[in-house]
PDB file of all heavy atoms in Angstrom:
ATOM      1  N   ASP A 244      55.075 -53.245 -15.102  1.00  0.00           N
ATOM      2  CA  ASP A 244      54.787 -52.336 -16.217  1.00  0.00           C
ATOM      3  C   ASP A 244      53.358 -51.828 -16.069  1.00  0.00           C
ATOM      4  O   ASP A 244      52.397 -52.610 -16.157  1.00  0.00           O
ATOM      5  CB  ASP A 244      54.969 -53.059 -17.549  1.00  0.00           C
ATOM      6  CG  ASP A 244      55.036 -52.101 -18.737  1.00  0.00           C
ATOM      7  OD1 ASP A 244      54.453 -51.002 -18.635  1.00  0.00           O
ATOM      8  OD2 ASP A 244      55.665 -52.445 -19.750  1.00  0.00           O
ATOM      9  N   LEU A 264      51.383 -61.317   1.665  1.00  0.00           N
ATOM     10  CA  LEU A 264      51.016 -62.680   1.289  1.00  0.00           C
ATOM     11  C   LEU A 264      51.848 -63.707   2.048  1.00  0.00           C
ATOM     12  O   LEU A 264      51.317 -64.696   2.572  1.00  0.00           O
ATOM     13  CB  LEU A 264      51.201 -62.865  -0.216  1.00  0.00           C
ATOM     14  CG  LEU A 264      50.892 -64.271  -0.750  1.00  0.00           C
ATOM     15  CD1 LEU A 264      49.426 -64.622  -0.555  1.00  0.00           C
ATOM     16  CD2 LEU A 264      51.259 -64.368  -2.236  1.00  0.00           C
ATOM     17  N   LEU A 294      57.156 -60.938 -23.516  1.00  0.00           N
ATOM     18  CA  LEU A 294      57.770 -61.717 -22.444  1.00  0.00           C
ATOM     19  C   LEU A 294      56.703 -62.402 -21.590  1.00  0.00           C
ATOM     20  O   LEU A 294      56.843 -63.571 -21.215  1.00  0.00           O
ATOM     21  CB  LEU A 294      58.652 -60.822 -21.585  1.00  0.00           C
ATOM     22  CG  LEU A 294      59.863 -60.195 -22.278  1.00  0.00           C
ATOM     23  CD1 LEU A 294      60.603 -59.262 -21.325  1.00  0.00           C
ATOM     24  CD2 LEU A 294      60.799 -61.270 -22.813  1.00  0.00           C
ATOM     25  N   LYS A 297      55.199 -65.288 -23.500  1.00  0.00           N
ATOM     26  CA  LYS A 297      56.138 -66.415 -23.593  1.00  0.00           C
ATOM     27  C   LYS A 297      56.104 -67.268 -22.335  1.00  0.00           C
ATOM     28  O   LYS A 297      55.966 -68.500 -22.411  1.00  0.00           O
ATOM     29  CB  LYS A 297      57.545 -65.887 -23.849  1.00  0.00           C
ATOM     30  CG  LYS A 297      58.622 -66.969 -23.931  1.00  0.00           C
ATOM     31  CD  LYS A 297      59.995 -66.361 -24.164  1.00  0.00           C
ATOM     32  CE  LYS A 297      61.076 -67.440 -24.195  1.00  0.00           C
ATOM     33  NZ  LYS A 297      62.440 -66.871 -24.376  1.00  0.00           N
ATOM     34  N   LYS A 304      51.354 -74.890 -20.737  1.00  0.00           N
ATOM     35  CA  LYS A 304      51.681 -76.157 -21.400  1.00  0.00           C
ATOM     36  C   LYS A 304      52.207 -77.184 -20.409  1.00  0.00           C
ATOM     37  O   LYS A 304      52.049 -78.395 -20.604  1.00  0.00           O
ATOM     38  CB  LYS A 304      52.702 -75.919 -22.508  1.00  0.00           C
ATOM     39  CG  LYS A 304      52.139 -75.245 -23.747  1.00  0.00           C
ATOM     40  CD  LYS A 304      53.218 -75.019 -24.794  1.00  0.00           C
ATOM     41  CE  LYS A 304      52.657 -74.325 -26.029  1.00  0.00           C
ATOM     42  NZ  LYS A 304      53.711 -74.047 -27.036  1.00  0.00           N
ATOM     43  N   VAL A 311      49.429 -63.790 -12.172  1.00  0.00           N
ATOM     44  CA  VAL A 311      50.177 -62.619 -12.653  1.00  0.00           C
ATOM     45  C   VAL A 311      49.694 -61.393 -11.908  1.00  0.00           C
ATOM     46  O   VAL A 311      48.490 -61.082 -11.907  1.00  0.00           O
ATOM     47  CB  VAL A 311      49.998 -62.441 -14.174  1.00  0.00           C
ATOM     48  CG1 VAL A 311      50.742 -61.206 -14.657  1.00  0.00           C
ATOM     49  CG2 VAL A 311      50.484 -63.699 -14.908  1.00  0.00           C
ATOM     50  N   VAL A 336      37.013 -64.177 -18.402  1.00  0.00           N
ATOM     51  CA  VAL A 336      36.149 -63.547 -17.398  1.00  0.00           C
ATOM     52  C   VAL A 336      36.914 -62.403 -16.756  1.00  0.00           C
ATOM     53  O   VAL A 336      38.048 -62.586 -16.290  1.00  0.00           O
ATOM     54  CB  VAL A 336      35.699 -64.552 -16.318  1.00  0.00           C
ATOM     55  CG1 VAL A 336      34.929 -63.827 -15.207  1.00  0.00           C
ATOM     56  CG2 VAL A 336      34.832 -65.639 -16.938  1.00  0.00           C
ATOM     57  N   CYS A 372      33.022 -62.570 -20.412  1.00  0.00           N
ATOM     58  CA  CYS A 372      32.016 -62.266 -19.403  1.00  0.00           C
ATOM     59  C   CYS A 372      32.574 -61.237 -18.436  1.00  0.00           C
ATOM     60  O   CYS A 372      33.684 -61.388 -17.920  1.00  0.00           O
ATOM     61  CB  CYS A 372      31.597 -63.517 -18.636  1.00  0.00           C
ATOM     62  SG  CYS A 372      30.378 -63.166 -17.341  1.00  0.00           S
ATOM     63  N   GLN A 377      29.578 -51.374 -13.566  1.00  0.00           N
ATOM     64  CA  GLN A 377      28.747 -50.308 -13.019  1.00  0.00           C
ATOM     65  C   GLN A 377      28.267 -49.458 -14.200  1.00  0.00           C
ATOM     66  O   GLN A 377      29.075 -48.916 -14.950  1.00  0.00           O
ATOM     67  CB  GLN A 377      29.542 -49.490 -11.999  1.00  0.00           C
ATOM     68  CG  GLN A 377      29.977 -50.335 -10.804  1.00  0.00           C
ATOM     69  CD  GLN A 377      30.875 -49.605  -9.822  1.00  0.00           C
ATOM     70  OE1 GLN A 377      30.688 -48.414  -9.579  1.00  0.00           O
ATOM     71  NE2 GLN A 377      31.844 -50.311  -9.251  1.00  0.00           N
ATOM     72  N   LEU A 399      27.081 -54.980 -10.899  1.00  0.00           N
ATOM     73  CA  LEU A 399      27.586 -55.091  -9.535  1.00  0.00           C
ATOM     74  C   LEU A 399      26.477 -55.522  -8.568  1.00  0.00           C
ATOM     75  O   LEU A 399      26.675 -56.427  -7.746  1.00  0.00           O
ATOM     76  CB  LEU A 399      28.188 -53.753  -9.095  1.00  0.00           C
ATOM     77  CG  LEU A 399      28.575 -53.619  -7.631  1.00  0.00           C
ATOM     78  CD1 LEU A 399      29.709 -54.564  -7.271  1.00  0.00           C
ATOM     79  CD2 LEU A 399      28.960 -52.165  -7.316  1.00  0.00           C
ATOM     80  N   LEU A 472      50.534 -48.724   0.048  1.00  0.00           N
ATOM     81  CA  LEU A 472      50.690 -49.792   1.043  1.00  0.00           C
ATOM     82  C   LEU A 472      49.344 -50.336   1.491  1.00  0.00           C
ATOM     83  O   LEU A 472      49.205 -51.510   1.817  1.00  0.00           O
ATOM     84  CB  LEU A 472      51.468 -49.253   2.246  1.00  0.00           C
ATOM     85  CG  LEU A 472      52.943 -48.909   2.035  1.00  0.00           C
ATOM     86  CD1 LEU A 472      53.520 -48.246   3.285  1.00  0.00           C
ATOM     87  CD2 LEU A 472      53.730 -50.164   1.698  1.00  0.00           C
ATOM     88  N   VAL A 482      44.766 -63.302  -3.660  1.00  0.00           N
ATOM     89  CA  VAL A 482      45.626 -64.385  -4.122  1.00  0.00           C
ATOM     90  C   VAL A 482      45.521 -65.588  -3.207  1.00  0.00           C
ATOM     91  O   VAL A 482      45.471 -66.742  -3.660  1.00  0.00           O
ATOM     92  CB  VAL A 482      47.083 -63.884  -4.229  1.00  0.00           C
ATOM     93  CG1 VAL A 482      48.038 -65.042  -4.512  1.00  0.00           C
ATOM     94  CG2 VAL A 482      47.192 -62.833  -5.331  1.00  0.00           C
ATOM     95  N   PHE A 485      42.388 -67.442  -4.068  1.00  0.00           N
ATOM     96  CA  PHE A 485      42.511 -68.175  -5.329  1.00  0.00           C
ATOM     97  C   PHE A 485      43.260 -69.485  -5.106  1.00  0.00           C
ATOM     98  O   PHE A 485      42.847 -70.547  -5.593  1.00  0.00           O
ATOM     99  CB  PHE A 485      43.234 -67.327  -6.379  1.00  0.00           C
ATOM    100  CG  PHE A 485      43.420 -68.046  -7.686  1.00  0.00           C
ATOM    101  CD1 PHE A 485      42.424 -68.052  -8.649  1.00  0.00           C
ATOM    102  CD2 PHE A 485      44.603 -68.747  -7.954  1.00  0.00           C
ATOM    103  CE1 PHE A 485      42.586 -68.738  -9.852  1.00  0.00           C
ATOM    104  CE2 PHE A 485      44.782 -69.432  -9.150  1.00  0.00           C
ATOM    105  CZ  PHE A 485      43.770 -69.427 -10.098  1.00  0.00           C
ATOM    106  N   LYS A 502      29.088 -90.663 -17.598  1.00  0.00           N
ATOM    107  CA  LYS A 502      28.299 -91.727 -16.986  1.00  0.00           C
ATOM    108  C   LYS A 502      28.152 -91.556 -15.473  1.00  0.00           C
ATOM    109  O   LYS A 502      27.242 -92.145 -14.871  1.00  0.00           O
ATOM    110  CB  LYS A 502      28.912 -93.092 -17.299  1.00  0.00           C
ATOM    111  CG  LYS A 502      30.314 -93.289 -16.753  1.00  0.00           C
ATOM    112  CD  LYS A 502      30.859 -94.648 -17.178  1.00  0.00           C
ATOM    113  CE  LYS A 502      32.282 -94.860 -16.647  1.00  0.00           C
ATOM    114  NZ  LYS A 502      32.828 -96.168 -17.072  1.00  0.00           N
ATOM    115  N   LEU A 505      24.202 -87.432 -13.239  1.00  0.00           N
ATOM    116  CA  LEU A 505      22.770 -87.631 -13.419  1.00  0.00           C
ATOM    117  C   LEU A 505      22.304 -86.809 -14.618  1.00  0.00           C
ATOM    118  O   LEU A 505      22.628 -85.626 -14.723  1.00  0.00           O
ATOM    119  CB  LEU A 505      22.004 -87.218 -12.159  1.00  0.00           C
ATOM    120  CG  LEU A 505      22.333 -87.990 -10.886  1.00  0.00           C
ATOM    121  CD1 LEU A 505      21.621 -87.387  -9.686  1.00  0.00           C
ATOM    122  CD2 LEU A 505      21.955 -89.460 -11.041  1.00  0.00           C
ATOM    123  N   TRP A 527      25.853 -78.233 -11.757  1.00  0.00           N
ATOM    124  CA  TRP A 527      25.056 -78.519 -12.948  1.00  0.00           C
ATOM    125  C   TRP A 527      25.754 -78.068 -14.214  1.00  0.00           C
ATOM    126  O   TRP A 527      26.514 -77.098 -14.213  1.00  0.00           O
ATOM    127  CB  TRP A 527      23.703 -77.782 -12.847  1.00  0.00           C
ATOM    128  CG  TRP A 527      22.763 -78.375 -11.835  1.00  0.00           C
ATOM    129  CD1 TRP A 527      22.825 -78.208 -10.488  1.00  0.00           C
ATOM    130  CD2 TRP A 527      21.624 -79.197 -12.087  1.00  0.00           C
ATOM    131  NE1 TRP A 527      21.796 -78.874  -9.877  1.00  0.00           N
ATOM    132  CE2 TRP A 527      21.037 -79.493 -10.844  1.00  0.00           C
ATOM    133  CE3 TRP A 527      21.036 -79.704 -13.241  1.00  0.00           C
ATOM    134  CZ2 TRP A 527      19.904 -80.281 -10.709  1.00  0.00           C
ATOM    135  CZ3 TRP A 527      19.896 -80.485 -13.131  1.00  0.00           C
ATOM    136  CH2 TRP A 527      19.337 -80.767 -11.879  1.00  0.00           C
ATOM    137  N   ILE A 531      25.252 -78.028 -24.991  1.00  0.00           N
ATOM    138  CA  ILE A 531      25.073 -77.201 -26.184  1.00  0.00           C
ATOM    139  C   ILE A 531      25.252 -78.122 -27.381  1.00  0.00           C
ATOM    140  O   ILE A 531      26.347 -78.659 -27.592  1.00  0.00           O
ATOM    141  CB  ILE A 531      26.107 -76.059 -26.258  1.00  0.00           C
ATOM    142  CG1 ILE A 531      26.061 -75.219 -24.991  1.00  0.00           C
ATOM    143  CG2 ILE A 531      25.850 -75.183 -27.477  1.00  0.00           C
ATOM    144  CD1 ILE A 531      27.170 -74.192 -24.909  1.00  0.00           C
ATOM    145  N   ILE A 534      26.077 -78.187 -34.102  1.00  0.00           N
ATOM    146  CA  ILE A 534      25.311 -77.909 -35.324  1.00  0.00           C
ATOM    147  C   ILE A 534      26.301 -77.801 -36.470  1.00  0.00           C
ATOM    148  O   ILE A 534      27.134 -76.907 -36.502  1.00  0.00           O
ATOM    149  CB  ILE A 534      24.489 -76.609 -35.207  1.00  0.00           C
ATOM    150  CG1 ILE A 534      23.537 -76.696 -34.013  1.00  0.00           C
ATOM    151  CG2 ILE A 534      23.726 -76.335 -36.492  1.00  0.00           C
ATOM    152  CD1 ILE A 534      22.807 -75.414 -33.717  1.00  0.00           C
ATOM    153  N   CYS A 558      12.620 -75.825 -16.756  1.00  0.00           N
ATOM    154  CA  CYS A 558      11.421 -76.584 -16.366  1.00  0.00           C
ATOM    155  C   CYS A 558      10.161 -75.720 -16.457  1.00  0.00           C
ATOM    156  O   CYS A 558       9.047 -76.241 -16.615  1.00  0.00           O
ATOM    157  CB  CYS A 558      11.570 -77.142 -14.950  1.00  0.00           C
ATOM    158  SG  CYS A 558      12.791 -78.461 -14.796  1.00  0.00           S
ATOM    159  N   GLU A 561      11.248 -71.920 -20.194  1.00  0.00           N
ATOM    160  CA  GLU A 561      12.008 -70.752 -20.616  1.00  0.00           C
ATOM    161  C   GLU A 561      13.431 -71.183 -20.944  1.00  0.00           C
ATOM    162  O   GLU A 561      14.036 -71.965 -20.216  1.00  0.00           O
ATOM    163  CB  GLU A 561      12.045 -69.683 -19.511  1.00  0.00           C
ATOM    164  CG  GLU A 561      10.694 -69.101 -19.151  1.00  0.00           C
ATOM    165  CD  GLU A 561      10.815 -68.074 -18.043  1.00  0.00           C
ATOM    166  OE1 GLU A 561      11.844 -67.361 -18.015  1.00  0.00           O
ATOM    167  OE2 GLU A 561       9.908 -68.003 -17.201  1.00  0.00           O
TER     168      GLU A 561
END
Side-chain angles (χ1 to χ4, degrees):
D244 194 333
L264 178 64
L294 296 177
K297 179 181 178 182
K304 286 179 181 178
V311 179
V336 174
C372 178
Q377 298 175 37
L399 171 66
L472 291 174
V482 171
F485 178 85
K502 62 183 179 181
L505 299 174
W527 288 77
I531 305 172
I534 302 173
C558 291
E561 296 179 35

